[in-house]
Each structure stands twice: as C-alpha cells, then as structure tokens.
Amino acid sequence: MTPLAVYIHWPFCKSKCPYCDFNSHVRDSVEQERWREALLKELETIAAHAPNRTVTSIFFGGGTPSLMPTKTAEALIERVHQLWPVADNIEITLEANPTSVEADTFKDFKSAGVNRVSLGVQSLIDSELKFLGREHKAAEALKAVESARNSFDRYSFDLIYARSGQTLETWQKELSQALTHADGHLSLYQLTIEENTAFHHAYKNGGFTLPDEAQSEALYRLTEELLAAHGLFAYEVSNYARVGQESRHNLSYWKGDDYIGIGPGAHGRITTDRRIATQTLKSPERWLEQVEQQGHGLEIWQSIEREQEIEERVMMGLRLARGIHYEEFEKQTSINLREYISDAKRKFYAEKGLLTDDANRLQPTLSGRLVLNKLTAELLS
Ligand SMILES: C[S@@+](CC[C@H](N)C(=O)[O-])C[C@H]1O[C@@H](n2cnc3c(N)ncnc32)[C@H](O)[C@@H]1O
Ligand code: SF4
C-alpha cells in the first residue's frame, strides 16, 4: 500500500528565537480544547482526500510541540490509527525544547504513543546559547538529552553551527562533547540568516559577522569527518545517522513520498491522478477560525505543474547522500531522468567532482552537497 507521512504543526513557542523564521508565535494563552478539536477536525477532513494509504510516520513539529498538552498528542495519534492502517514500525516524533519542564513530560508523551524525540539543543556553550536567544543553559539541555535517552528508544538533537567567530578548534571541541551524548541521529545546521528575523536586522546593521564561505566549507567538512569517525553518516545535507537510524519521516519528504500537513502553515503533497500541493493558513487565529467554519484551514490546494514536480523531486532527492534512484524516479513520475538530464551534463558535473552517476543512481558528492542549489538549477536548466 502507498506510504503516507503525517505532519502536525504546533505553532506556539515560549519566546521567539532571533534566527528563526518557522511559523512560530508567542501567545499569553492557548485555548487548548479548541485547538485539540480543530487539529482533529482538519486531520479528518484532509484524510478523506488521502485514502488507501498506510501511515509510516507522524511528526509533531513547530513551534514547540512539546508545549502541547500530551492529551492532544494522544488524541491525534489515536485518530490517525482510526483513519488509516499504520505500519508496524510507525515512527512518531516530537520536537522538543530541551528544558527541564519539557523533559518532565517525556514519559507522558511516551504513553501517548510518541516513540522518538528531537531536541533543539542548538549549542553546548552557554554564551552561544545566549547569543542564539535561547532560554536554556547547556547543562539543562544535557539533562533533557539524558531524559530523552531514558524515555524513548530513539532520540536526536539539533545544533546550530557556523556561528559568529566560530573556529575549527572551538567547533571540534563542542561537537566532540555533543557526540558523547548522541545516540543514532543528529541534525547539524549551519546558521542561516532568514529575512524578517531579528538576526537579519542585526546582521545587516553590522551587529555580528558570520564565517565566510571558505570557513563554512571547512566547518562542514570537519563535521562530516568527525561524525563519520563516530559511525554517523551524512545521509542528508544537515542530517547524520547510524545506518537504520535515519528519520523515516524526513526521508519521506526527500524521497518524494506523499505527506499531509495539519495545523497552521503546514505543507502537504498528495498524489491522486496528479500531484497536489497543499498549504494551510499561517496565522494561528485565522487557521483556527477557518477550521471551525469549514473543517480545514487550507489556503492552497492546487495541482503542481509537471516541470515543477520534477524540479522539486530532483531538488529533494539530491539532498540525500544516496541520491536519486533512476528506477524509483521513473515509477513516481514516468520520467527517465537519464534522458531528462543529458549524458553530457551529468558527465560534466561528475568530472567536476560534484556528482557520481552510475546505471542506478545519481548521487551528490560532499562537494556537490555544498553547492546543491546551484548544482540542481544547472542540472535542470
Ligand atoms: C522548529 S525548530 C525545533 C524545535 C524547537 N522549537 C526548538 O527550537 O528547540 C527546528 C530546528 O531548526 C533549526 N533552525 C531554525 N532556524 C535556523 C536558522 N536560521 N539557521 C540554522 N538552523 C535553524 C534549529 O536547530 C531548530 O532546532
Ligand atoms: S527555534 Fe524553535 S523555540 Fe525558537 S522560535 Fe523557532 S520554533 Fe520556537
């Protein structure tokens, strides 16, 4: 049966981090009953358009879904089980902030059905956490990681690097310490300056500098080396895992499987006789009102043009170290990618050391992953 991933967005945070452009909002209070009912309602409405599938993963993302009442998570997990058959090894992930308050709820989330947690640790240096506007300290984050280890079979945490003034030496030290607390998965993101964030404003006004391109590349290469030495492989641009410990939910996006998005600002891709893109209203209040009136908060439900679909699938597929499997790609799209992207072009970029290309797969090399957006654009031009 066709696999389906379910994404559920919780849009609230205790405070807004200065680098973050996720759909996250700070509110004095949240009407929990109304939110629970609305999320359940939208799940049901969208489910009616995605029948005959087996759910392979649920992902509670945010915002800070660890602030969601466990009762809400439990009700949503239960409803997914009522609406579709689910895979025996279904992965149910919760994103969490690494504070003691949230760590105290892990056991309850586990009872609710969550079996994997992903913690936003961001840094193990207190002054850097302060720069990143985080409310936790490194020691508290490590305690939360410990608590995740004791509560769940699988956990991961995020760090943000390529920060202001970071050297290879300081990053090596911090990352080595992180590795002593890691299990099978880590997400390591280079700090990006997103528009409409406090960091964007501060950066533009010279408030801080960032590593230049050469330094960022050196930091990226060091990261991959250190992680590989610990048995965690770069299976995606910013994600590292032991074999078999990859995030199955995120793999669904990169492999181009179907997923539905519930909650404010969530995206989805559903294949019917065509590929449909969905997106819900970003404003929590407008989303809530529309769900109560219409049963869903969708503002976009449109089929994707063929060319756009191929571009999207190539862009997502090349994020993965294992790249794009030609036969799978053809099954999904009826397109022979070896013909769609000419031999000459693939050979050109393979000779430049950005790709490897054989009869089965088109794969980015590490150097290719460093320039992925440009590479993808050139392959498809
Ligand atoms: C939705 S947040 C994670 C959950 C939780 N709200 C938290 O912050 O702990 C997803 C992750 O994206 C990363 N992230 C967000 N904005 C970023 C940026 N501008 N540059 C690099 N990484 C970023 C952070 O590592 C963050 O943990
Ligand atoms: S990084 Fe996480 S906690 Fe911070 S504002 Fe974004 S979603 Fe919220």
Side-chain angles (χ1 to χ4, degrees):
M1 197 136 17
T2 315
L4 180 71
V6 175
Y7 176 79
I8 300 172
H9 192 79
W10 185 257
F12 304 115
C13 291
K14 273 203 193 117
S15 59
K16 183 80 186 176
C17 303
Y19 54 84
C20 177
D21 81 335
F22 281 78
N23 189 30
S24 58
H25 307 264
V26 179
R27 296 287 183 265
D28 288 340
S29 66
V30 175
E31 290 178 81
Q32 298 295 354
E33 295 278 328
R34 272 182 86 191
W35 272 85
R36 179 158 52 247
E37 287 313 311
L39 287 166
L40 288 166
K41 181 75 213 159
E42 186 173 59
L43 179 64
E44 264 177 24
T45 305
I46 296 184
H49 296 278
N52 306 322
R53 285 163 169 83
T54 297
V55 174
T56 46
S57 64
I58 304 174
F59 193 100
F60 292 99
T64 309
S66 48
L67 297 174
M68 168 194 291
T70 47
K71 195 175 154 192
T72 301
E74 187 168 17
L76 286 159
I77 293 169
E78 230 177 75
R79 193 63 54 92
V80 167
H81 281 76
Q82 289 160 2
L83 291 166
W84 293 275
V86 306
D88 290 342
N89 63 348
I90 184 170
E91 174 188 274
I92 306 182
T93 304
L94 175 82
E95 273 184 349
N97 274 11
T99 70
S100 52
V101 179
E102 281 147 290
D104 285 347
T105 65
F106 286 169
K107 291 252 173 346
D108 295 334
F109 276 111
K110 187 179 182 183
S111 307
V114 170
N115 56 24
R116 182 174 180 273
V117 75
S118 170
L119 292 152
V121 170
Q122 318 309 1
S123 172
L124 293 178
I125 302 171
D126 284 344
S127 55
E128 295 294 310
L129 286 167
K130 197 164 170 206
F131 166 73
L132 291 168
R134 300 295 299 205
E135 292 196 333
H136 63 268
K137 293 253 175 20
E140 188 181 13
L142 289 178
K143 270 198 195 150
V145 169
E146 214 29 55
S147 182
R149 180 199 292 280
N150 294 330
S151 306
F152 299 99
D153 291 341
R154 298 169 69 204
Y155 70 89
S156 174
F157 58 89
D158 302 349
L159 297 176
I160 297 181
Y161 72 109
R163 301 181 305 252
S164 193
Q166 196 168 35
T167 64
L168 291 177
E169 290 70 30
T170 54
W171 176 230
Q172 170 149 20
K173 202 165 154 223
E174 187 180 2
L175 187 53
S176 301
Q177 191 196 350
L179 278 162
T180 65
H181 299 274
D183 185 30
H185 192 284
L186 280 181
S187 300
L188 305 170
Y189 302 108
Q190 293 210 340
L191 177 61
T192 54
I193 302 299
E194 308 291 343
E195 267 181 47
N196 302 320
T197 59
F199 265 12
H200 187 244
H201 187 71
Y203 181 69
K204 258 193 2 206
N205 291 318
F208 62 89
T209 57
L210 286 180
D212 62 16
E213 212 178 301
Q215 176 73 355
S216 299
E217 178 175 336
L219 287 163
Y220 189 75
R221 289 183 187 277
L222 170 68
T223 304
E224 181 139 339
E225 234 169 72
L226 266 182
L227 271 278
H230 278 77
L232 277 85
F233 298 99
Y235 71 99
E236 192 265 349
V237 178
S238 310
N239 284 281
Y240 303 79
R242 288 187 204 291
V243 175
Q245 289 303 313
E246 300 87 351
S247 155
R248 293 198 283 275
H249 183 85
N250 288 336
L251 274 179
S252 303
Y253 301 150
W254 299 316
K255 285 190 324 190
D257 288 342
D258 279 8
Y259 57 96
I260 59 166
I262 305 298
H267 295 250
R269 291 287 182 275
I270 304 173
T271 311
T272 54
D273 52 336
R274 357 173 233 142
R275 184 109 163 132
I276 309 279
T278 73
Q279 194 186 327
T280 54
L281 290 162
K282 282 182 91 173
S283 151
E285 290 72 24
R286 286 184 56 213
W287 175 88
L288 186 63
E289 260 175 41
Q290 184 175 309
V291 177
E292 288 175 340
Q293 285 160 12
Q294 300 178 28
H296 63 79
L298 289 164
E299 69 169 346
I300 294 176
W301 179 281
Q302 68 187 28
S303 59
I304 306 177
E305 298 289 331
R306 196 80 178 123
E307 245 171 53
Q308 192 194 338
E309 178 187 347
I310 290 163
E311 194 178 309
E312 190 174 285
R313 286 186 184 279
V314 170
M315 199 150 21
M316 295 304 260
L318 287 182
R319 294 188 68 92
L320 289 172
R322 69 183 188 199
I324 298 170
H325 192 271
Y326 287 121
E327 212 178 290
E328 278 171 23
F329 192 89
E330 193 161 352
K331 256 193 222 150
Q332 288 174 325
T333 60
S334 317
I335 296 268
N336 180 341
L337 199 60
R338 289 172 69 84
E339 285 169 8
Y340 197 83
I341 304 173
S342 71
D343 277 348
K345 218 178 232 177
R346 283 184 279 112
K347 197 163 166 235
F348 178 77
Y349 289 107
E351 280 173 3
K352 275 187 142 193
L354 302 181
L355 290 174
T356 59
D357 185 25
D358 63 24
N360 297 319
R361 294 179 176 279
L362 184 66
Q363 287 175 278
T365 59
L366 188 153
S367 300
R369 263 181 276 136
L370 278 161
V371 291
L372 199 55
N373 289 344
K374 239 168 106 185
L375 174 63
T376 313
E378 284 176 23
L379 285 173
L380 293 170
S381 65

